[in-house]
Amino acid sequence: MTPRSVYVHVPFCAHRCGYCDFTLVAGRDDLVPRYLAAMRSEFSSVERPVPVDTIFLGGGTPTQLPPEGLRQLVGDLVERFPPEPGCEFSVEANPADVDGTMAATLAELGVNRVSLGAQSFDADSLQVLERDHSPSDVRVTVERLRTAGIENVSVDLIFGVPGQSLDAWRATLDAAVALEPTHVSTYGLTFEKGTAFWTRREKGQLTACDDGVEATMYELAMDRLPVAGFEQYEISNFAKPGQRCRHNVVYWQGRSFHAFGPGAARYLDGRREVNHRSVTTWLTRVERGETGIADREELDPESQARERLAIGLRLVEGIDLATFREETGHDPRSLFGPALEQHRSSDLLEETNGHLRLTRRGRLLADTVVADCL
Ligand code: SF4
């Protein structure tokens, strides 16, 4: 099926937060002109315009670009990927960057959904996470976006922050709900090798949240957000009715999508490709007229089916068994093999209404379950 979604990676941040291992450069806005020129080249590798239903600018921090840089990037993007009527156009934003001009620029460019990196409404947790904004910046930013005409605002939150209490997490959830966003994403903090947090934990300078407390925090989100009208539709994502992130649903349904920029991963016709994660390597290669792709993998039909199963189980509704069989030629149950019964009897997987899905308990142990179908 022709891909109708496009992801664009914007690798600029003012500084690198200690827990972050995303592809980015911090404090290197001098690279913006080279990045914009390289993006224009990479977009032009697509021969003819591809109309799209979803656009997602992620990062890094897209709102770290100056308004004229954002205009140039989006102008070049939509020339190759014209948005269809009703296109969902999402941009990730840092509350520290969205002044009135940025909010107006986003609206002028057709952005109709902003995913805001709030992370916490607790000043202590924000400080531990090395964020450069305060809880009140988040509130002001949401107001600015609404004033500019962007009503569809998602709020990202992190739980399991060192030193964060269950009460502080509960208060953060309540503060997020009080802002009346359309969507909330909740992520448990992870310590990735190579990050400053990893090193600090190794040196005993930072203590990870207890696993049991972290699980309770996740359960608190699963209990509290639905009471406030948010439906959990994916392991980490909750939406008001009709406000699921359509772009991310494309990923979770195992559909094809285009992607551009350093570190960007795309999936086209059963082929996975990942661009160079080093921003400067990617830049230099594209500037020389070479490919920015670092890795390419052709998946055979069974591997495609296994990946689709693993990703699809992230959705709370799970996998539609009949559609899956029809589209992949494989039965999800046989892809799991003997582990299926084991996960069923351990109350981690269930089959209801023709769908195979994680139970609530299974959502807490999703990585373990999913590893058995790959
Ligand atoms: S702002 Fe976001 S992308 Fe940038 S360093 Fe912090 S966590 Fe990473």
Side-chain angles (χ1 to χ4, degrees):
M1 198 186 284
T2 311
R4 296 183 63 87
S5 293
V6 60
Y7 172 79
V8 172
H9 192 76
V10 184
F12 299 99
C13 284
H15 76 110
R16 185 181 280 272
C17 307
Y19 60 92
C20 180
D21 78 333
F22 294 159
T23 296
L24 61 93
V25 279
R28 289 298 313 270
D29 290 2
D30 57 301
L31 294 175
V32 167
R34 287 177 61 193
Y35 163 78
L36 293 173
M39 289 303 284
R40 182 174 287 173
S41 304
E42 222 184 29
F43 293 147
S44 64
S45 65
V46 176
E47 283 170 12
R48 63 182 74 83
V50 179
V52 287
D53 298 322
T54 71
I55 297 173
F56 197 106
L57 265 59
T61 313
T63 49
Q64 176 74 14
L65 289 176
E68 63 276 15
L70 210 46
R71 273 194 201 97
Q72 184 180 325
L73 179 69
V74 172
D76 290 340
L77 172 70
V78 300
E79 205 177 299
R80 289 287 156 170
F81 296 93
E84 290 281 37
C87 176
E88 176 191 88
F89 187 171
S90 301
V91 171
E92 288 180 343
N94 182 351
D97 303 331
V98 185
D99 58 14
T101 307
M102 178 54 75
T105 305
L106 293 171
E108 165 206 320
L109 293 174
V111 172
N112 50 29
R113 182 175 184 279
V114 168
S115 177
L116 203 56
Q119 316 309 1
S120 180
F121 285 87
D122 171 47
D124 290 342
S125 291
L126 287 175
Q127 197 178 7
V128 172
L129 291 169
E130 302 175 8
R131 302 293 302 185
D132 56 2
H133 62 264
S134 67
S136 60
D137 287 336
V138 180
R139 297 185 181 97
V140 170
T141 301
V142 171
E143 271 318 304
R144 281 192 185 127
L145 290 167
R146 287 183 178 143
T147 303
I150 302 174
E151 297 284 339
N152 194 355
V153 178
S154 176
V155 173
D156 282 1
L157 302 174
I158 295 179
F159 58 90
V161 179
Q164 184 184 36
S165 68
L166 205 50
D167 280 345
W169 172 238
R170 187 180 289 114
T172 276
L173 286 170
D174 290 348
V177 166
L179 274 179
E180 300 184 353
T182 52
H183 188 281
V184 178
S185 301
T186 60
Y187 302 103
L189 182 70
T190 54
F191 289 74
E192 303 295 339
K193 203 166 184 179
T195 61
F197 269 32
W198 172 280
T199 309
R200 288 175 60 199
R201 189 184 60 174
E202 294 296 292
K203 289 182 176 168
Q205 297 168 352
L206 211 54
T207 308
C209 181
D210 174 81
D211 283 350
V213 174
E214 194 172 327
T216 307
M217 287 178 170
Y218 178 49
E219 295 212 73
L220 196 60
M222 287 199 286
D223 289 336
R224 229 165 166 81
L225 291 171
V227 169
F230 295 88
E231 177 201 19
Q232 183 175 15
Y233 69 103
E234 195 265 350
I235 288 177
S236 306
N237 288 281
F238 302 80
K240 285 280 173 78
Q243 303 289 2
R244 296 180 181 194
C245 176
R246 283 161 44 204
H247 183 85
N248 286 341
V249 169
V250 166
Y251 298 158
W252 298 318
Q253 288 183 337
R255 312 281 169 202
S256 294
F257 56 91
H258 290 278
F260 299 91
R266 65 189 67 84
Y267 183 54
L268 300 165
D269 301 326
R271 192 175 71 245
R272 283 212 179 280
E273 293 174 347
V274 185
N275 282 356
H276 284 277
R277 282 205 65 179
S278 157
V279 176
T280 47
T281 302
W282 172 84
L283 262 180
T284 310
R285 292 185 63 97
V286 176
E287 283 170 345
R288 283 194 200 131
E290 298 167 7
T291 175
I293 299 169
D295 284 311
R296 182 180 277 129
E297 188 186 6
E298 295 283 348
L299 299 177
D300 60 42
E302 183 176 328
S303 304
Q304 285 180 43
R306 287 187 183 281
E307 278 211 4
R308 185 163 163 181
L309 176 57
I311 300 168
L313 282 173
R314 293 191 62 89
L315 289 165
V316 168
E317 67 199 19
I319 302 279
D320 182 321
L321 292 164
T323 307
F324 189 93
R325 268 194 304 268
E326 190 183 316
E327 293 185 0
T328 70
H330 291 269
D331 188 318
R333 292 168 288 207
S334 41
L335 291 174
F336 257 110
L340 181 68
E341 271 322 306
Q342 191 188 324
H343 291 319
R344 266 193 187 141
S345 53
S346 307
D347 186 31
L348 298 176
L349 275 175
E350 66 184 359
E351 213 177 299
T352 47
N353 301 326
H355 284 70
L356 181 67
R357 59 180 215 154
L358 292 169
T359 60
R360 178 182 162 109
R361 193 171 118 75
R363 284 177 228 155
L364 287 157
L365 297 165
D367 289 348
T368 316
V369 178
V370 158
D372 283 329
C373 68
L374 284 172

